[in-house]
Amino acid sequence: MREMGGDQVEEAVAGCVAALRPAVDGDWAGVKAGRLDWNCRETAEHIAGDLIAYAAQLAGRAQQAYVPFEFTLDGTDEGLDPVDNPGILHVIETTGALLVAAVRTAPREVRAFHPYPFRSANREGFAAMGIAEVLLHTHDIAEGLGLSYEPSAELADGVLTRIFPHVQPGPTPWSTLLWATGRGDLPGRAPVTDWRWNNNLVIPAGRLTLQGLSPAAARDLRLGGDGGFEWIDGGPFEGTREAAGMLVKAYEAGVHRPEWGVFALVRTEDGRAVGGMGFHGAPDEDGCAEIGYDLVESARGHGYATEALRALSEWALARDGIRSLFATVERDNVPSQAVVSRAGFTQVSADGDEFAYELRG
């Protein structure tokens, strides 16, 4: 799987600078940026500020809050002349390079603080957020200055499938991203007035972490790839690939709820994936959600599935309105029956070749 990383940040920043350079002689401070309340100069400063802020979060491994520093373009406090428009573009290039370096040097398992919605993001998340800021605010500035601008479909799709997993794909990735952030219209969809992006959920589980799959990762797994994970010998089992396909279908239908999706089970000791676990969909109207899981064959017999199931069940039953969890196990799959039993599930029925288990909150 091609990860969203430094190359894509570079592409986004280069596209921004190329789009705005023809207007460097204009009055950026006197022109409003698209639908924003900021002028074009303030919006350009915001791009640079976000790029360096994301680089700082990731490089500094911030865990509880934003790194406490302030970014400004103006040098008036030191008696210097304000930065001109070519200088602003140079600052965007420079802060973009800092984010590129932070993304490229951060190990895959590193996560740092970001508030939306689960209070952390990995290097791919910070890259996607930085790219989103660049694409969207370049659009705003270009609209204000009367310039044409449209990034590549691949960049826009990368942002959507990493940090907008709750947004149903539309006619094109760019038009969908503009609609999802209140900057455009799509046929048959109501205008968006309030929005947030959505980094993946990570749940600690003893020797493992459960890492929520993005639509991009699920799409790659469904097609036979690794989903961006380093797997132990044997790679993902077929059940994980099937579950990833279900996630993709839900995403394409606009009914995917990321926290009720599929998780890769990743060992904390070495960052390698050993299996998959997740929900068959969002909870039903009675507050019941169904869980499924599998492990790579060489990972079985080590207690990983039990640890993961306990952690995921505890997380799920702590959500508002969730009354019970449900799992089905084949009659001849004795090891899996032991897993659900150790995790606190109780057998409630037997139907043909399957046993049904329930865990109530």
Side-chain angles (χ1 to χ4, degrees):
M1 172 179 160
R2 186 185 182 195
E3 185 175 340
M4 174 157 274
D7 290 350
Q8 288 73 31
V9 176
E10 282 185 337
E11 180 186 344
V13 170
C16 164
V17 172
L20 301 183
R21 194 176 297 282
V24 292
D25 294 329
D27 179 14
W28 289 16
V31 178
K32 202 175 166 185
R35 304 183 185 188
L36 303 182
D37 292 330
W38 296 328
N39 63 43
C40 291
R41 179 183 175 86
E42 291 168 333
T43 306
E45 182 173 0
H46 178 80
I47 293 174
D50 277 339
L51 290 170
I52 195 170
Y54 293 154
Q57 291 301 103
L58 193 56
R61 311 293 195 261
Q63 296 300 305
Q64 302 299 326
Y66 289 115
V67 177
F69 69 93
E70 183 177 357
F71 172 85
T72 180
L73 283 175
D74 291 331
T76 51
D77 289 344
E78 287 76 33
L80 303 175
D81 292 332
V83 180
D84 59 10
N85 293 339
I88 292 174
L89 293 184
H90 189 197
V91 173
I92 290 174
E93 289 178 310
T94 304
T95 53
L98 292 174
L99 180 57
V100 168
V103 169
R104 286 178 174 165
T105 56
R108 189 197 175 282
E109 292 304 299
V110 164
R111 298 187 73 85
F113 173 81
H114 190 277
Y116 306 127
F118 303 117
R119 300 185 67 77
S120 74
N122 61 10
R123 67 188 184 190
E124 191 172 44
F126 278 105
M129 290 187 291
I131 292 167
E133 296 284 359
V134 173
L135 301 189
L136 295 168
H137 290 313
T138 301
H139 163 81
D140 298 331
I141 298 170
E143 191 172 63
L145 297 175
L147 301 171
S148 61
Y149 171 73
E150 183 172 339
S152 70
E154 185 177 11
L155 274 183
D157 182 68
V159 169
L160 287 168
T161 55
R162 266 77 173 188
I163 58 173
F164 288 88
H166 51 293
V167 173
Q168 183 180 16
T172 68
W174 181 231
S175 65
T176 304
L177 184 58
L178 291 177
W179 170 81
T181 57
R183 290 170 168 84
D185 300 317
L186 283 183
R189 300 196 194 183
V192 172
T193 58
D194 185 38
W195 59 274
R196 293 272 190 233
W197 49 50
N198 194 315
N199 281 291
N200 68 320
L201 172 63
V202 173
I203 301 172
R207 295 172 295 164
L208 306 170
T209 57
L210 283 75
Q211 301 185 15
L213 297 185
S214 67
R219 181 190 294 164
D220 186 67
L221 282 168
R222 181 191 63 174
L223 296 175
D226 58 16
F229 296 92
E230 182 181 352
W231 293 81
I232 64 171
D233 295 341
F237 203 66
E238 190 58 34
T240 297
R241 296 197 186 281
E242 291 176 358
M246 292 170 59
L247 189 158
V248 172
K249 288 181 180 179
Y251 169 66
E252 292 175 345
V255 296
H256 175 50
R257 290 175 59 185
E259 65 270 34
W260 299 101
V262 182
F263 299 81
L265 309 183
V266 180
R267 289 195 306 215
T268 55
E269 67 180 55
D270 58 7
R272 302 185 73 187
V274 300
M277 180 174 290
F279 302 96
H280 290 203
D284 63 22
E285 58 186 13
D286 295 322
C288 178
E290 184 174 357
I291 288 182
Y293 54 88
D294 68 11
L295 294 178
V296 178
E297 289 192 41
S298 59
R300 296 172 187 175
H302 300 283
Y304 292 138
T306 301
E307 288 182 31
L309 185 56
R310 284 173 177 162
L312 187 58
S313 298
E314 181 180 353
W315 179 89
L317 290 173
R319 303 308 101 193
D320 290 340
I322 305 305
R323 299 176 56 191
S324 64
L325 301 176
F326 183 75
T328 59
V329 182
E330 293 178 355
R331 185 182 292 269
D332 59 356
N333 191 344
V334 176
S336 189
Q337 293 168 25
V339 168
V340 293
S341 297
R342 287 193 296 266
F345 285 70
T346 302
Q347 183 181 333
V348 292
S349 67
D351 183 12
D353 295 333
E354 289 185 333
F355 293 150
Y357 291 80
E358 184 182 42
L359 178 63
R360 300 189 66 83

